[in-house]
Amino acid sequence: MPAVGKDIPNDSSSGHVSGRSVFLNDVPPTRNELLVDFFGSRVAHGRILSIDCSVASNVPGVVALLTAQDIPGRNRFGSIMQDEHLLADSIVNYMGDPIVLIVAESREAIEAARIAIQVDIEELPPILSIDDAITAGSFIGEPQLIHCGNATSALAQSQHRIDGSLSTGGQEHFYFESQTAIAEPGENGRITIHSSTQHPTETQQVAAEILGVPFNHVVVICKRMGGAFGGKETQAAAPAAMAALAAVNTGRTCRISLSKDSDMQYTGKRHPFQSRWSVGFDSQGLITALALDLFADAGCACDVSPAILERALLHADNAYYLPNFRVTGRLCRTNHPSNTAFRGFGGPQGVVNIENIIEEIAIYLEKGALDIRQINCYGVEDRNTTPYGQRCENNTLPLLFSQLRLSSDYDARQEQLAKFNTESPTKVRGLSMTAVKFGISFTTKTLNQANAIVNIYTDGSVLVSSGGTEMGQGINTRLRQIVADELGVNFSDVLIAPTSTEKNNNTSATAASSGTDLNGAAAINACRTLRKRLADFAAPLLADTKNGQTLSPDQLRFENGFVFVPQQPHQKIAFHDLVLQAYKARISLGERGFYATPGINFDRETGKGMPFFYYTCGVAATEVEVDRFTGELKVRRADLLIDAGQCINPGIDRGQLSGGFMQGLGWVTTEELKYSSRGELLSHSPTTYKIPNIGDLPEVFNLGFFENHDECVSLLHSRALGEPPLLLAISVWAAAKHALSFVSKDAARRLSLPATGETLLLAMEHSRSKSATALR
Ligand code: MTE
Ligand code: HPA
Ligand code: MOS
C-alpha cells in the first residue's frame, strides 16, 4: 500500500493469456437461443426495388426474416445526425448495407437463407473516393475552420514557400473480438442486451429507439471487450439493436457475432484524409505562415465524423507555434461503410501534415529536421498559445525534444546513417524525431462527465461500478487502485462490477483517452463522501472520552485497512470492523459520485476556447532501413519518451505506450485498405491486410517515461495515455521519408501514407526513371 503508482498486473492478464477470460461469444448458448446475421447489399449504392423472402422463409431452421418494415420504433439513428438506418428501407449506401435480418437456429440455416433471399436493386453511381466526392460536391455538414493571425498575407510575405498535398489511408480496427451482442427478452417489453460496446448508454438508446420503447426498458451490460480501439464507440450499437429486434420479434434470446471478414467488410474504419497545404518560412526554417485544407472520407453517414474532423483541426499545429495559420476541414460523403472513431480520433491525420511539412522544409533548406522542429516548438514562457487560443501550460515539449535528442544519440546516428547511405548500394536509412501534443477531453463539452457507485459490504470488501468499459486498456485495474487508496484498503479488497446502464445511467463512451480520468474522479468523489460519513461515525469511537478528548472527523486517516488519528496510531479500528458497526448503526455504506471536468469550453462558431483539460505530450525518434530494390522497410530502432505525469500503473502504461506505437506503426507502414472498382473491400482478412506482428517490432525499442513531478491538474497528477502513443508512430513514416530523401528529393516528396513496400518502391522507381530520362 498504497496501490496507486504500483506495477499491479492488469486484472485480466492471466485470464487473457490462459484463455480463461470469458468474452461474449464464449458464453454458452442458452436453451432456445437463436443466431442473427444479415443479408446485405451487393452494390455500393442503389435503390431497393423489391425484397422477396418467400423461398428463404421455408429454409429449415429459419425462424424470422425481418426487414425495415418490421421495426416497431424508428429506423434512424446516429449520435450527431440521425442519418443511419438499421435495415435499408429504400436506398443502400454501401456494399453490405443490411437489408434483411436473418434469425435462425443454426449458422447453416443462416447461410442457406442468405442464398435464397431475393433482393432487386437498381444500381446508382457510387462515390468511392475523396476526389470523386469533391467533384460531385458530396459533403456532410458544414466546413470547419480554425485560424489565427493572417495566413494569406503572411504567406505572400514569406521568405520561402512550399505547396504540397498529402493523402493518408484508413485503418481497420482489427480488434480480436468482432462486434457481438446477446439480447434476452424480458417481461412487458423489457430487454437486456449484453454487448461488446465502449458505449453502453448509446447502445441502450439506439436499441430503445429502434424498438420504440422508453430507455428504461433496455439494460445494456458490458463486462469486457476483446479490443475496441474506437470501433465500438458508436458502431457496437447497430448489432446490439439487431439482436434486440430479433429477440423482441421471436421472444427468444438472440445472439449476433460478426465473422472477422464481415466485420472488416461492413464496419467503419479510420477516416482516410487528403490535404493541400502551403507553408511560408524563413531561411532558418522558422514557420511564418501555414494554410492547410483537410478533406476526410466520412463514408456514407455522419457517425462522429464532425468531432473527428474537429480534432484533426485542433491537432494540426501539433507541437509547433504558428503565428499565422488557417486550417479548414470538410467531410466527404462516399459509398463506403460510415467511418468512425479510431485511436487518435482525427488527431493523427491532423498531426501528420505538419510533421510532413517540417520534413519538406528540411529537404528544401537542406537542414536538419530536428533543428527545425526545435525552433518551431511551443515555448514555455511565450510562443505557447495555440491557434484556438488555449495556452500550453507547463509545457514540457522543449525538454522532451532535447532530452531524447541526447538519450537516443540522435546526432551521431544521423552522421552514421548519412555515411551508410553513401556506401550501401542496396539499403537506405532514415532517422526522424516527431512529437505529439494530444488534447485530453472530449471536444464535445457535454461528454466530459461520469458517475460511479462505490458499495462497501459489511465484511469491508468493496464493489465499484462506473460507466467506464474495459477493452484491454486497464481501466478496471486502475479504478481498483484508486478506490483502494481512497478508502485505505487493500487492492485485493476492491472489485469492479460489469458495466451496466442499470447501475450507471447517462454515461459517455469510454473514449478520448479519458476513461480513467473521468470515471476515476467520479469514484474518488463517491469515496470521499463515504469516508466523511464513516469518519463522523468513527471519531467518537476513537476518542479517549474518559479523559474528555474529542476528535474532529477530518483528523482521521484511512490507511492500511485501519482508521486512526496520526497522533495516536495505536488507537485504531479496522476498516471492516468500522463498516460493520456503521451498518448496525444504520449508516449508509454506498454512494454514487459524479464528476464533470471543470474549466473547459470551446466555441465552434469562432473556433476559439479551451477545449482540453490538459495535454499529453511525447516525442519519438525512429530509424528505419529501406531496401532500394524491394521497398521493404525495417524499423532498426525506436526511442519513445512520453510525459505521462505520475503513472497510476506504470506497467499498464508501458503496455499502452508500446501497443499504441505499434498500432500506429501499422497505420503508417503496412496496413492498406484495397477496394474493387465497385467498392468491395478486397483486403478483408489478415492474409491481405497486414497488421504488425512480433517480427515488426523495432530491433531496439526503448520506452521512456519523462520524470514529471509537476502538479498537473489531472487525476492524481497522471496523464491519460490511451491514444497519444499512436501518434508517435508518425516518426516511423517521417524516417521513411527521410530515407527516401537520400535517394532523391523527388522520391521523398512522393511518399504518401501508408509507406508500404510498394509505395516506397514506386516512389524510388519513379525518381530513378525520371533521372534516367534526364540523363538521356
Ligand atoms: N488498449 C487496448 N488494449 N484496447 C483498446 O481497445 N483502445 C484505445 C486505448 N487503448 C484500446 C486501448 C482507445 S481508442 C482509447 S480512447 C482508450 O484506450 C480508451 O480507454 P481509456 O480512456 O480508459 O484510456
Ligand atoms: N474523442 C473520442 N470520442 C469522441 C470525441 C472525442 O473527442 N468526441 C465525441 N466522441
Ligand atoms: Mo478512442 S478513438 O477515443 O475510442
Side-chain angles (χ1 to χ4, degrees):
M1 292 207 225
V4 169
K6 264 209 199 124
D7 243 341
I8 296 172
N10 187 318
D11 59 10
S12 292
S13 54
S14 64
H16 283 9
V17 297
S18 65
R20 277 191 211 99
S21 296
V22 178
F23 296 89
L24 257 190
N25 215 18
D26 298 330
V27 177
T30 52
R31 268 180 76 163
N32 277 332
E33 189 177 297
L34 295 171
L35 291 176
V36 181
D37 209 325
F38 56 82
F39 174 97
S41 170
R42 283 155 194 176
V43 300
H45 192 201
R47 181 176 289 112
I48 299 175
L49 301 176
S50 67
I51 302 173
D52 181 358
C53 293
S54 54
V55 179
S57 62
N58 290 325
V59 170
V62 169
V63 176
L65 296 163
L66 307 174
T67 64
Q69 288 175 350
D70 299 304
I71 291 175
R74 193 159 172 256
N75 185 21
R76 286 290 178 277
F77 63 93
S79 62
I80 297 178
M81 293 177 196
Q82 286 65 59
D83 63 346
E84 289 180 70
H85 50 235
L86 190 71
L87 295 169
D89 34 24
S90 72
I91 301 292
V92 286
N93 294 314
Y94 63 96
M95 193 66 83
D97 200 347
I99 302 170
V100 183
L101 215 55
I102 309 169
V103 190
E105 305 276 0
S106 67
R107 185 63 35 214
E108 294 69 34
I110 285 178
E111 295 315 326
R114 215 199 297 273
I115 293 166
I117 290 170
Q118 297 285 326
V119 177
D120 203 8
I121 295 182
E122 174 196 348
E123 214 168 329
L124 301 171
I127 294 173
L128 296 169
S129 69
I130 291 177
D131 285 336
D132 288 352
I134 294 172
T135 310
S138 174
F139 298 114
I140 294 176
E142 294 305 309
Q144 296 185 16
L145 166 72
I146 290 174
H147 65 112
C148 66
N150 189 329
T152 308
S153 68
L155 264 177
Q157 287 159 25
S158 61
Q159 206 176 338
H160 302 283
R161 171 181 173 144
I162 319 178
D163 302 305
S165 61
L166 181 69
S167 74
T168 60
Q171 187 178 19
E172 156 61 33
H173 299 86
F174 222 98
Y175 33 67
F176 284 171
E177 180 200 34
S178 5
Q179 303 280 3
T180 301
I182 301 173
E184 300 160 356
E187 292 173 21
N188 304 319
R190 295 169 71 155
I191 187 155
T192 301
I193 307 170
H194 298 266
S195 164
S196 178
T197 176
Q198 285 172 260
H199 201 342
T201 289
E202 186 171 313
T203 303
Q204 171 199 25
Q205 292 169 350
V206 170
E209 282 170 354
I210 294 287
L211 298 177
V213 298
F215 294 172
N216 65 358
H217 283 48
V218 180
V219 177
V220 172
I221 301 169
C222 175
K223 183 174 65 172
R224 65 155 61 90
M225 287 160 275
F229 307 111
K232 296 170 182 172
E233 178 171 340
T234 60
Q235 300 206 350
M242 288 178 178
L245 178 63
V248 165
N249 190 277
T250 59
R252 293 163 68 172
T253 296
C254 287
R255 176 186 305 230
I256 186 165
S257 186
L258 299 186
S259 71
K260 191 72 204 161
D261 290 78
S262 301
D263 195 304
M264 289 180 78
Q265 285 169 293
Y266 308 137
T267 66
K269 321 211 171 298
R270 182 187 294 288
H271 291 60
F273 269 60
Q274 267 178 35
S275 71
R276 301 169 188 158
W277 52 267
S278 303
V279 64
F281 50 97
D282 70 10
S283 52
Q284 295 308 304
L286 188 74
I287 298 173
T288 51
L290 177 61
L292 176 65
D293 298 311
L294 301 177
F295 295 88
D297 180 347
C300 65
C302 180
D303 197 284
V304 283
S305 299
I308 289 167
L309 183 65
E310 181 169 78
R311 187 170 280 274
L313 266 64
L314 288 167
H315 284 73
D317 58 326
N318 195 28
Y320 312 105
Y321 176 66
L322 301 169
N324 299 291
F325 175 62
R326 186 183 71 236
V327 57
T328 66
R330 283 236 81 171
L331 293 170
C332 299
R333 191 191 292 274
T334 64
N335 293 105
H336 289 300
S338 188
N339 285 322
T340 193
F342 194 136
R343 205 173 196 171
F345 205 76
Q349 296 97 317
V351 165
V352 71
N353 280 290
I354 191 146
E355 295 294 357
N356 174 49
I357 287 165
I358 291 177
E359 293 292 328
E360 296 263 343
I361 295 172
I363 293 168
Y364 178 97
L365 293 175
E366 298 181 355
K367 281 186 182 298
L370 182 52
D371 293 332
I372 296 175
R373 287 190 167 90
Q374 286 182 297
I375 61 169
N376 284 290
C377 183
Y378 276 117
V380 177
E381 298 299 332
D382 59 351
R383 293 171 53 85
N384 63 1
T385 304
T386 59
Y388 46 92
Q390 175 160 357
R391 273 185 34 160
C392 312
E393 304 286 349
N394 305 321
N395 178 16
T396 52
L397 282 162
L399 264 175
L400 291 169
F401 269 123
S402 53
Q403 194 168 315
L404 195 67
R405 186 168 190 154
L406 281 179
S407 68
S408 69
D409 204 15
Y410 183 91
D411 293 289
R413 284 166 62 207
Q414 283 289 2
E415 281 179 29
Q416 286 158 17
L417 75 84
K419 184 161 174 287
F420 173 89
N421 287 344
T422 58
E423 289 166 359
S424 172
T426 53
K427 304 272 162 67
V428 63
R429 292 178 181 168
L431 166 61
S432 185
M433 190 187 304
T434 64
V436 61
K437 169 181 125 290
F438 198 81
I440 304 297
S441 288
F442 289 93
T443 56
T444 303
K445 186 175 169 182
T446 303
L447 302 177
N448 296 286
Q449 58 169 308
N451 64 77
I453 296 172
V454 177
N455 284 333
I456 305 172
Y457 296 92
T458 49
D459 63 351
S461 66
V462 180
L463 187 67
V464 183
S465 76
S466 79
T469 51
E470 178 62 59
M471 58 195 95
Q473 87 280 35
I475 188 172
N476 285 357
T477 310
R478 290 200 182 102
L479 289 177
R480 288 176 70 187
Q481 292 174 276
I482 292 166
V483 168
D485 282 8
E486 280 299 318
L487 298 177
V489 300
N490 255 314
F491 172 80
S492 57
D493 290 332
V494 183
L495 290 183
I496 308 296
T499 314
S500 154
T501 56
E502 210 168 19
K503 289 179 289 229
N504 300 93
N505 62 338
N506 311 332
T507 60
S508 296
T510 304
S513 301
S514 52
T516 299
D517 281 16
L518 297 173
N519 294 286
I524 285 178
N525 286 340
C527 289
R528 294 199 175 152
T529 308
L530 283 166
R531 230 169 49 195
K532 164 98 182 38
R533 210 182 283 151
L534 286 169
D536 286 345
F537 176 69
L541 302 181
L542 285 168
D544 187 358
T545 40
K546 260 181 261 148
N547 294 327
Q549 187 198 23
T550 56
L551 285 176
S552 150
D554 40 74
Q555 286 175 279
L556 265 57
R557 291 259 186 89
F558 288 67
E559 273 171 32
N560 301 318
F562 289 96
V563 181
F564 56 94
V565 277
Q567 298 84 349
Q568 301 155 267
H570 46 279
Q571 242 176 294
K572 57 188 181 184
I573 178 164
F575 183 81
H576 61 88
D577 284 339
L578 176 65
V579 297
L580 182 60
Q581 289 187 46
Y583 162 74
K584 288 179 177 164
R586 301 190 298 173
I587 287 168
S588 166
L589 294 177
E591 189 62 30
R592 176 182 155 114
F594 181 78
Y595 177 77
T597 313
I600 46 174
N601 230 319
F602 181 64
D603 182 343
R604 287 189 175 142
E605 295 303 310
T606 58
K608 299 280 176 194
M610 193 172 135
F612 303 118
F613 195 35
Y614 63 92
Y615 298 101
T616 297
C617 295
V619 288
T622 303
E623 182 177 339
V624 302
E625 182 175 277
V626 178
D627 188 304
R628 290 177 189 257
F629 298 100
T630 65
E632 186 185 1
L633 177 143
K634 227 171 44 178
V635 179
R636 284 170 49 80
R637 174 170 167 182
D639 293 66
L640 319 186
L641 180 61
I642 195 136
D643 177 1
Q646 299 168 36
C647 293
I648 291 172
N649 189 315
I652 291 179
D653 285 353
R654 282 174 67 83
Q656 289 292 298
L657 180 59
S658 52
F661 179 83
M662 288 309 293
Q663 193 168 38
L665 184 142
W667 175 56
V668 304
T669 58
T670 57
E671 293 181 39
E672 193 175 27
L673 298 162
K674 288 275 194 191
Y675 296 88
S676 74
S677 59
R678 301 181 61 233
E680 279 165 298
L681 181 66
L682 301 173
S683 48
H684 57 78
S685 88
T687 55
T688 44
Y689 185 80
K690 173 73 180 81
I691 62 167
N693 66 16
I694 196 79
D696 298 305
L697 277 172
E699 286 165 26
V700 179
F701 199 13
N702 294 319
L703 306 178
F705 286 87
F706 179 78
E707 297 255 342
N708 190 343
H709 296 289
D710 78 1
E711 298 288 292
C712 174
V713 287
S714 58
L715 183 76
L716 307 174
H717 313 305
S718 70
R719 284 179 172 78
L721 114 171
E723 295 166 286
L726 186 139
L727 291 84
L728 291 177
I730 290 169
S731 62
V732 179
W733 185 86
K737 181 161 176 131
H738 181 235
L740 290 195
S741 73
F742 287 92
V743 175
S744 74
K745 288 186 181 183
D746 179 60
R749 291 212 74 187
R750 287 186 167 273
L751 189 64
S752 53
L753 185 157
T756 60
E758 187 181 5
T759 310
L760 288 163
L761 188 61
L762 286 175
M764 292 187 287
E765 280 300 315
H766 187 91
S767 76
R768 271 197 281 263
S769 58
K770 229 172 88 174
S771 50
T773 321
L775 282 179
R776 257 184 250 132

